[in-house]
Amino acid sequence: MHEFAGRNWHLQDRQRILMDEIISGTDELGVLLAGHKKNAYWYGSLLSIEEARKLCPHNNATSLQVTVSCLAGMVWAMENPNAGLVEPDEIDFRRNLEIMTPYLGTVSGQYTDWTPLHDRERLFPEDLDKTDPWQFKNVRV
């Protein structure tokens, strides 16, 4: 959309890969929990296009990883019709994972030594807090 607006609302000459044009690859979608004593922990789904299409034809890995959370939310709502309005933290994550896991490929968690200071200041000096890599000023771009 940014390119579309930048071209004064004229479509690009070439289209981008969106669905059937994807022939191989893996999508890694997850969460990075950072700033604790062990530095950072990534937990998420590694789903190949082949796995995604086997599970749900006419999809790609990203669409499946994203929409399965909506499916889990709808199932939870149907199973808890009297719960009313709830915050995400009030929903049983075990039940959600039970619903989602068959569609997520490999679910994995790993610690990493990466920080927001990794490979910074290669092109120009920046105002960074090198004493605490997880400060907001180091994450902000």
Side-chain angles (χ1 to χ4, degrees):
M1 289 305 297
H2 181 71
E3 288 180 29
F4 186 44
R7 291 173 49 93
N8 200 24
W9 310 109
H10 293 287
L11 290 175
Q12 292 89 341
D13 298 329
R14 295 184 309 145
Q15 294 181 344
R16 304 226 195 270
I17 296 173
L18 295 176
M19 202 55 104
D20 293 333
E21 295 86 352
I22 300 171
I23 57 172
S24 68
T26 300
D27 191 9
E28 300 173 359
L29 181 66
V31 61
L32 182 67
L33 305 170
H36 47 77
K37 286 184 180 181
K38 293 187 176 184
N39 192 53
Y41 182 75
W42 182 86
Y43 183 82
S45 161
L46 295 92
L47 183 64
S48 73
I49 189 66
E50 294 85 7
E51 292 173 291
R53 288 192 176 135
K54 185 176 179 183
L55 291 164
C56 293
H58 313 294
N59 277 274
N60 62 42
T62 306
S63 69
L64 198 51
Q65 288 166 316
V66 172
T67 57
V68 73
S69 62
C70 297
L71 171 66
M74 290 187 292
V75 170
W76 186 89
M78 289 187 293
E79 292 175 348
N80 298 275
N82 298 320
L85 186 62
V86 298
E87 296 291 329
D89 290 349
E90 298 175 77
I91 297 174
D92 180 12
F93 73 91
R94 289 178 197 85
R95 178 64 176 132
N96 280 356
L97 284 174
E98 181 182 322
I99 296 162
M100 295 185 306
T101 300
Y103 301 97
L104 294 177
T106 301
V107 176
S108 170
Q110 298 179 28
Y111 285 98
T112 179
D113 61 357
W114 179 89
T115 74
L117 297 178
H118 180 75
D119 276 346
R120 294 291 286 272
E121 297 189 298
R122 289 176 52 194
L123 298 175
F124 51 85
E126 297 180 69
D127 180 21
L128 300 171
D129 182 349
K130 294 179 181 175
T131 65
D132 186 354
W134 295 105
Q135 288 299 311
F136 181 71
K137 72 185 298 180
N138 296 337
V139 177
R140 188 180 56 186
V141 177

